[in-house]
Amino acid sequence: MTRQQPPPAAPMDRYIPALSYRWLTPLYDPLVSRVMPELALKRRLVEGARVEPGQRVLDVGCGTGTLVILAKQRQPEAQVVGLDPDDRILRRARAKAARRGLDIEFERGTATKLPYPDGSFDRVLTTLVLHHLKTDDKRRACREMLRVLRPGGELHVADFDRPHTCLMRAISLVTRHFEEVGDNIQGLLPAMVCDAGFEEVRRTSRLATAFGTVAIYTAIKPEDRGPRTLSSIEERG
Ligand SMILES: C[S@@+](CC[C@H](N)C(=O)[O-])C[C@H]1O[C@@H](n2cnc3c(N)ncnc32)[C@H](O)[C@@H]1O
């Protein structure tokens, strides 16, 4: 009897892997936990998301699964989904979740074309992913995250931000030259989230890391308020 091989992975749009080169992926967890307060950052973001039983949560660019695992551990009654374009890192994430006996769905896909219907999640989380995208793709990803959220659903983002200390400013002198990170360092992310159609975009915390300042942002998808008449626009300002 011949052993069946898994089907080859479908081609995926170009993406930047977790540590830029796929062969470095096995080092991702040990490295990131040493160069930044990774667990503190992700716990803070998950706590801020206040996921309730029965809610559906999507982690865009889930990488090795650390954030989805924390989200599921904090709210075991939630349906948690991790999405990433990198099939190899997804294998790591699945294995990590299985070792902890957690029922988490992992799927291959990209932030710029989320494979989910409109309004299918209560929370969208994403950490350290947007700085992997070029400007237009960041905007597309923000619009996609808005689309898959239900009205009133929340976005929780952690990513590089405008430097907030002298040391962070010094680090940014190097990192700002990369197009993908440059937007973050210039502090453009909140405006991009807002332009996509989110409201109440707020920075809730900032942390210093070896690669620069990382901030957590929250934003809300507006409730469906029906057609905006001139008087309703004047009332809301
Ligand atoms: C620095 S890692 C962060 C992983 C994880 N979110 C974390 O916080 O540890 C960036 C991740 O973004 C993923 N990624 C890159 N381009 C992407 C895209 N277009 N859509 C979704 N994920 C993407 C990479 O495969 C990688 O897993």
Side-chain angles (χ1 to χ4, degrees):
M1 217 166 74
T2 53
R3 252 182 81 201
Q4 249 191 340
Q5 294 293 316
M12 182 70 38
D13 290 347
R14 243 177 60 80
Y15 63 89
I16 302 178
L19 289 177
S20 297
Y21 300 98
R22 275 160 63 105
W23 58 271
L24 286 176
T25 298
L27 301 179
Y28 184 80
D29 278 347
L31 182 77
V32 171
S33 59
R34 280 175 180 80
V35 297
M36 63 169 68
E38 184 197 10
L39 281 181
L41 172 77
K42 290 179 179 172
R43 284 203 180 109
R44 209 177 280 183
L45 184 134
V46 166
E47 273 159 30
R50 305 169 329 280
V51 177
E52 290 169 20
Q55 287 195 325
R56 278 178 54 77
V57 180
L58 172 66
D59 178 13
V60 176
C62 63
T64 59
T66 307
L67 183 75
V68 263
I69 286 172
L70 289 174
K72 184 72 179 175
Q73 285 172 333
R74 186 166 167 90
Q75 182 46 269
E77 303 299 317
Q79 275 180 273
V80 178
V81 181
L83 177 107
D84 202 286
D86 183 342
D87 52 335
R88 286 203 220 166
I89 211 162
L90 281 175
R91 250 178 271 148
R92 290 184 168 270
R94 283 193 188 100
K96 240 164 97 172
R99 280 198 298 276
R100 290 161 177 80
L102 295 172
D103 177 17
I104 298 174
E105 208 179 297
F106 289 98
E107 210 168 330
R108 196 155 173 252
T110 167
T112 50
K113 206 174 168 192
L114 294 174
Y116 307 105
D118 298 358
S120 45
F121 291 94
D122 301 281
R123 300 282 183 272
V124 171
L125 320 178
T126 185
T127 57
L128 307 175
V129 174
L130 291 176
H131 74 275
H132 280 234
L133 309 184
K134 291 196 186 291
T135 308
D136 284 349
D137 281 344
K138 280 194 189 81
R139 292 189 181 281
R140 266 185 215 115
C142 290
R143 288 197 294 271
E144 277 293 272
M145 294 192 286
L146 181 87
R147 182 184 65 74
V148 301
L149 271 170
R150 64 158 168 83
E154 294 175 20
L155 172 69
H156 295 261
V157 181
D159 218 311
F160 292 104
D161 194 35
R162 206 198 294 264
H164 71 301
T165 65
C166 293
L167 178 60
M168 296 298 108
R169 257 189 293 285
I171 293 173
S172 77
L173 294 178
V174 179
T175 52
R176 66 186 326 131
H177 297 294
F178 297 90
E179 177 187 343
E180 290 84 356
V181 195
D183 295 328
N184 296 53
I185 290 170
Q186 290 172 56
L188 301 179
L189 269 195
M192 288 184 183
V193 170
C194 198
D195 290 348
F198 283 96
E199 58 186 23
E200 296 182 43
V201 182
R202 293 203 176 98
R203 184 172 57 214
T204 58
S205 47
R206 271 192 307 208
L207 286 97
T209 81
F211 293 125
T213 300
V214 173
I216 297 181
Y217 285 98
T218 64
I220 298 180
K221 175 167 177 168
E223 294 286 351
D224 205 352
R225 295 168 175 141
R228 275 165 64 92
T229 59
L230 185 57
S231 59
S232 72
I233 292 167
E234 279 164 358
E235 271 164 32
R236 287 176 203 133

